[in-house]
Amino acid sequence: MAVPQEAAPPLTIHFAPMARRDLAAVSQVDRECFDPPMSLSQIQRLWYRKQRFNWRVLRVKNEMDFPLPSSLVVAYACYVDHGSQAHLLKLGCLAAVRGLGLGRWLLLQVLREMTRSGVLEVLLEVRESNFVARRLYFQHGFREDGMQPGGYPDGEDAVLMSISQLQGQTVQQALRQQHQCVRIAQTAGSYTLEDRHGGF
């Protein structure tokens, strides 16, 4: 009788603070996601200012059958925490893994960190033409506050978005429900998601 083969363990992706070794990989994600992108030297200078800028990555624990280049960082976010107010500056995923829910997971984890640090209001800007990102933010409690004409170097308008009551019961309940749904969906697939802090 043939011995049944064990199912391959799923890929594990960690939410973690960005490390020095991630600089080149984060630069690669930035080039794929943003126009204009930051240079590697710009990212490095900002990363060294850790007291102001918070950098977070999704890092792959192994590469088994996952459609990735040599980099093990698949997504990153950067935000500034001013105490009661935070500004989400960047959030992007490699093109190879878009559509898998990793951007949603990363956003949820960042909002969770902001909640724990006492942030009340979250601000961000997004290109008017980036309907995918606008929908993602809207689904997680952000509202569109207006436009900044010519907010990008190529002249495209920026949509200003915010969460005004991050600590509010309604927002927190919605985020917990979304967190649970993402956990169920992703662990049922080809990879699992882990973080350093436990549940939402």
Side-chain angles (χ1 to χ4, degrees):
M1 179 187 300
V3 177
Q5 295 183 347
E6 293 184 4
L11 189 77
T12 301
I13 298 176
H14 288 164
F15 170 77
M18 176 180 162
R20 182 184 177 88
R21 68 179 183 275
D22 299 323
L23 284 168
V26 166
S27 179
Q28 178 181 347
V29 177
D30 195 81
R31 288 195 302 272
E32 287 194 13
C33 296
F34 302 104
D35 183 20
M38 292 189 293
S39 67
L40 177 58
S41 61
Q42 287 175 315
I43 294 174
Q44 186 172 6
R45 284 197 301 270
L46 294 176
W47 178 75
Y48 277 117
R49 298 171 62 183
K50 296 177 185 178
Q51 291 184 342
R52 180 178 180 190
F53 295 92
N54 298 276
W55 297 81
R56 300 293 180 264
V57 296
L58 293 184
R59 189 183 295 120
V60 175
K61 190 174 181 180
N62 62 65
E63 296 183 86
M64 187 170 48
D65 299 325
F66 212 62
L68 290 176
S70 57
S71 167
L72 295 184
V73 171
V74 295
Y76 90 96
C78 178
Y79 68 93
V80 179
D81 187 340
H82 298 292
S84 63
Q85 185 185 81
H87 193 161
L88 181 59
L89 302 174
K90 297 270 189 171
L91 189 148
C93 296
L94 284 177
V97 298
R98 289 176 193 161
L100 299 178
L102 296 180
R104 184 181 303 275
W105 170 258
L106 180 56
L107 177 59
L108 282 167
Q109 292 299 96
V110 167
L111 292 175
R112 176 181 178 275
E113 279 197 344
M114 292 177 181
T115 298
R116 291 169 63 94
S117 67
V119 170
L120 303 176
E121 181 181 33
V122 187
L123 309 176
L124 64 82
E125 300 88 37
V126 62
R127 284 182 176 270
E128 183 181 17
S129 62
N130 193 344
F131 297 107
V132 173
R134 290 169 65 180
R135 182 169 59 250
L136 173 67
Y137 294 132
F138 181 80
Q139 291 172 344
H140 290 77
F142 285 86
R143 294 296 179 264
E144 296 187 356
D145 301 319
M147 307 286 289
Q148 180 182 349
Y152 288 91
D154 59 4
E156 182 173 355
D157 294 343
V159 179
L160 307 178
M161 304 186 73
S162 70
I163 293 178
S164 60
Q165 296 181 345
L166 181 61
Q167 303 286 351
Q169 183 176 356
T170 301
V171 173
Q172 285 300 305
Q173 179 63 26
L175 292 176
R176 281 192 291 271
Q177 291 174 349
Q178 292 170 26
H179 185 277
Q180 183 178 12
C181 289
V182 169
R183 273 290 192 183
I184 293 172
Q186 307 303 2
T187 55
S190 60
Y191 62 93
T192 60
L193 299 158
E194 296 180 356
D195 62 76
R196 301 177 303 115
H197 307 294
F200 196 88

